[in-house]
Amino acid sequence: MSCIPRFTVAQGRTGPKKRAALTTAAVALAVLAVGTPVASATLDDEALAASRSEASALAAHGSAYIETRLFFGTERPDGGPDVTDRQFMAFIDEEVTPRFPNGLTIQDGRGQWRDSNGVIERERSYELTLLYPASQARVRDAQIERIRDAYEKAYAQDSVARLEERTTADF
């Protein structure tokens, strides 16, 4: 939305003083608009139609999916040894792959968070991305919660973070 008010000139003649005042107001507003940071922009009808057309074209290339990302820490709050790559991959093989055999993505990461004792922890982590049809959300939700619970129990973790977004995907 634009922050610039719109003026409507009544039909008929306007005198030189009124035209000068309107011109001065328009110039002042233009200067303010250029000199002031704009929080949002407006699209004219043509740009809005093009944007909608592009969105429709993108939607035509994919189906409704859910992208779930899980964040697994590797340090143990109980002071035990960190979760190794071998242990994490065994966890993926045993707990995740049987539930999501069509595919997944794993990325290495570095994370920071405040633990249950109020201490800021920095640790090596893994980010697991799961992509599945939105129509399967209810079934997948239960499977994802079992994965989170299993990791928390197996490696004495306070939590496994979960992030979800609706998206479109095409394979």
Side-chain angles (χ1 to χ4, degrees):
M1 296 296 257
S2 176
C3 297
I4 302 173
R6 297 182 185 262
F7 293 96
T8 305
V9 178
Q11 296 220 354
R13 287 198 227 175
T14 58
K17 286 184 180 179
K18 195 174 221 177
R19 262 188 250 125
L22 287 172
T23 302
T24 303
V27 169
L29 286 172
V31 168
L32 285 173
V34 169
T36 304
V38 177
S40 62
T42 60
L43 298 174
D44 61 12
D45 291 339
E46 224 173 270
L48 186 56
S51 175
R52 285 183 181 152
S53 175
E54 288 174 17
S56 294
L58 288 174
H61 292 288
S63 301
Y65 272 74
I66 304 289
E67 177 184 2
T68 299
R69 291 188 290 164
L70 301 177
F71 300 87
F72 299 88
T74 58
E75 290 184 9
R76 298 183 195 210
D78 64 4
D82 290 0
V83 178
T84 66
D85 287 338
R86 177 176 278 177
Q87 288 172 316
F88 186 75
M89 292 312 297
F91 177 82
I92 293 296
D93 291 343
E94 294 166 17
E95 298 290 339
V96 182
T97 301
R99 293 180 174 102
F100 293 89
N102 291 340
L104 53 89
T105 300
I106 299 169
Q107 296 183 54
D108 289 324
R110 296 287 308 163
Q112 173 180 307
W113 74 303
R114 186 179 311 273
D115 71 12
S116 58
N117 297 317
V119 176
I120 293 182
E121 299 286 345
R122 291 179 178 90
E123 63 185 327
R124 189 174 55 83
S125 60
Y126 298 97
E127 179 180 344
L128 171 66
T129 303
L130 304 168
L131 194 61
Y132 48 92
S135 62
Q136 298 175 5
R138 183 170 290 159
V139 171
R140 297 301 188 172
D141 177 67
Q143 293 173 331
I144 291 165
E145 288 306 303
R146 282 195 285 277
I147 291 167
R148 293 173 72 202
D149 289 342
Y151 191 80
E152 289 169 9
K153 288 176 185 158
Y155 300 107
Q157 297 293 300
D158 286 338
S159 69
V160 172
R162 178 178 179 170
L163 176 67
E164 287 191 352
E165 294 186 67
R166 291 190 171 275
T167 189
T168 57
D170 186 22
F171 299 95

